[in-house]
Amino acid sequence: MEKDTLIMSFESSCDETSIAIIKNGKEILSNIIATQIKSHQRFGGVVPEVASRHHVEEVTRCINMALDEAKVGYSDLDAVAVTYGPGLVGSLLIGIMAAKTVAFAHNLPLIKVNHLAGHIYSANFVTDLQYPFMSLLVSGGHTEIVLVTAPGVFHTLGDTRDDAVGEAYDKIGRILGINYPAGKKVDQMAAKGKDTFNFPRAMVQEDNLDFSFSGLKSAFINRVHHADQVHEQLNKDDLAASFQGAVLDILSNKTFRALKQHPVKQLIVGGGVSANQGLRKRLAEEIEKRHMDMELVFPPLRLCGDNAAMIGAMAQIQYDKGDFAKLDLNADPSLDFDME
C-alpha cells in the first residue's frame, strides 16, 4: 500500500489568503480562506497595495489554522506548494516567501503552481479526470479554452483579447449600482429579467476560439448613459439579463466549437465565474440538446473562487513527476499556458 501524500499549499494571487492541507491531491483536510472583499469594496475593486498588506497580516494565522484543522504537524508534510502566477506581483510574493520559509525550515520540497492550472484541477475534488479533457476557464482575469491532453499538459486553444468575462461583470455592475464583486448579483438579476436589449455577440462568427468582451461592456455602458441623458427609465433586471445573455451566447458558441474540433468525454469549467448559475444551466442544456456523451464538471461553489485546495490538487500532479522548484523562486504575474 502506497504512503499517503500530504501537501501544504499556498494561494495569495489576488485578494484571498488561503492555506490548505491536501491528501493525495483529492482529499481536503483543511482549506482556510481569509477573504478581503470588504476591504476592497469601498474602492470598487482590488487595490494591490492593500491586498499585499492583508496577506502579510493573515498568512501566519492561516498556516496555523490549516495545520490545526487538518490535525497534522510540519513533520507529517511531504511538500509545500505555492501559486507563483499569474496575479498581483505583491500578493504573489507574500505567499511565495511564506511557502519558501516553510519549505526551507522543515526541509520540504517546494512546488510552484500555475494559478490557472489550479482552477482546472479543482475538478479533481469532484470526479476522476479522463484525459484528454476540455476546460473552460472563466474568472475575473482570464477567459480561455484549454485542452488538457495528459496530467499537467495544457494547450490553450482560445483566449480573451481584452476584458475577461469576470472583469466585464464587475465593470457593468458599477453602472447598475452593484458593489464589487458584481457577478453573483448580476446573475441573480438576470434570472428575473428578459434579454430585450440585443447587445453584440463579439467574434462569434469568426473562425477562431478567442473571446472579446470589451465591445459588449461598452455597448452596455453606452446604452445606460444614453438613457440617463434622455431621462429614459431602463429595467435593470432586463439589462442584466441582456448582458448575461450575450456572455452566455459567446461562451457557449466558442466552447462547443472547440468541442467539435477536439471531441472529449469531459468538459471542466473553472474560475470564479463557474459559480454563475446561468452558465451552469446553459452549458448543461446545450450538452443535452446536442445529445453529447460528455460529463460536465463544475467545482463546488466554495472552490470556484481562489483557494489553496485547488493549488494542492495541481501540486500532486507535479509531486508525482518530481517537478520541484528551487528556493530562488520568483513571482511571474503574467504567467499563462503556452498558446497552441
Side-chain angles (χ1 to χ4, degrees):
M1 183 175 177
E2 292 186 6
K3 176 187 177 296
D4 291 330
T5 303
L6 293 186
I7 296 177
M8 171 181 278
S9 51
F10 289 70
E11 159 58 34
S12 65
S13 62
C14 191
D15 59 341
E16 270 89 24
T17 312
S18 183
I19 315 291
I21 309 292
I22 304 302
K23 180 178 175 181
N24 300 329
K26 294 183 71 72
E27 184 179 345
I28 301 173
L29 302 187
S30 61
N31 186 30
I32 307 302
I33 304 172
T35 185
Q36 306 173 12
I37 286 177
K38 289 185 178 179
S39 294
H40 297 286
Q41 275 182 337
R42 64 183 183 274
F43 303 112
V46 177
V47 179
E49 178 65 19
V50 173
S52 299
R53 289 172 181 268
H54 276 298
H55 289 308
V56 172
E57 294 169 357
E58 294 290 345
V59 68
T60 301
R61 184 177 70 89
C62 289
I63 290 171
N64 293 331
M65 290 176 67
L67 289 169
D68 288 345
E69 187 173 305
K71 296 180 173 59
V72 300
Y74 289 111
S75 61
D76 298 307
L77 301 177
D78 294 287
V80 177
V82 62
T83 299
Y84 77 109
L88 303 174
V89 65
S91 294
L92 289 166
L93 285 171
I94 304 305
I96 289 170
M97 288 305 299
K100 289 199 290 190
T101 300
V102 172
F104 177 77
H106 300 281
N107 196 29
L108 293 166
L110 180 68
I111 302 169
K112 62 177 186 180
V113 177
N114 184 325
H115 176 82
L116 304 178
H119 274 306
I120 291 173
Y121 274 87
S122 61
N124 219 31
F125 299 115
V126 178
T127 188
D128 291 327
L129 301 179
Q130 303 173 43
Y131 299 93
F133 65 81
M134 192 74 71
S135 180
L136 172 64
L137 271 176
V138 277
S139 70
H142 298 272
T143 305
E144 49 193 283
I145 297 173
V146 182
L147 181 66
V148 186
T149 53
V153 180
F154 306 96
H155 308 272
T156 303
L157 305 180
D159 204 344
T160 183
R161 297 187 181 178
D162 40 60
D163 290 346
V165 64
E167 185 181 7
Y169 269 93
D170 287 333
K171 287 179 178 177
I172 69 102
R174 287 181 207 143
I175 304 300
L176 292 173
I178 301 170
N179 279 342
Y180 168 88
K184 182 177 180 181
K185 181 63 176 176
V186 173
D187 185 26
Q188 292 170 343
M189 293 170 65
K192 296 183 287 186
K194 295 180 180 179
D195 183 356
T196 59
F197 289 93
N198 194 31
F199 290 129
R201 275 71 167 156
M203 297 177 63
V204 293
Q205 302 302 325
E206 294 187 18
D207 188 23
N208 58 56
L209 299 175
D210 288 343
F211 301 94
S212 172
F213 296 101
S214 181
L216 168 60
K217 172 204 66 182
S218 297
F220 182 98
I221 293 171
N222 291 339
R223 182 67 182 88
V224 174
H225 284 173
H226 177 265
D228 289 343
Q229 290 168 353
V230 299
H231 306 292
E232 178 187 3
Q233 290 292 322
L234 301 179
N235 183 299
K236 288 188 175 183
D237 290 341
D238 288 348
L239 280 168
S242 299
F243 172 81
Q244 181 151 297
V247 167
L248 298 184
D249 281 351
I250 295 167
L251 292 176
S252 176
N253 176 284
K254 297 291 184 172
T255 300
F256 286 95
R257 186 178 297 180
L259 289 167
K260 186 175 182 180
Q261 295 174 12
H262 304 272
V264 295
K265 291 294 186 181
Q266 284 179 321
L267 172 61
I268 309 295
V269 187
V273 183
S274 65
N276 184 286
Q277 296 303 307
L279 177 61
R280 290 176 174 232
K281 182 170 182 270
R282 174 64 174 272
L283 292 179
E285 288 174 347
E286 288 290 338
I287 288 171
E288 184 177 359
K289 183 173 75 175
R290 297 164 189 259
H291 306 291
M292 299 175 75
D293 179 21
M294 185 174 64
E295 181 184 15
L296 175 62
V297 183
F298 286 91
L301 291 178
R302 64 192 172 88
L303 297 182
C304 290
D306 295 346
N307 67 91
M310 69 185 195
I311 303 305
M314 179 60 214
Q316 182 69 48
I317 301 288
Q318 295 172 244
Y319 180 87
D320 292 341
K321 293 180 177 181
D323 180 13
F324 301 124
K326 296 179 180 179
L327 289 176
D328 63 355
L329 175 65
N330 202 353
D332 187 348
S334 300
L335 182 69
D336 205 338
F337 301 123
D338 291 333
M339 194 76 175
E340 285 292 278

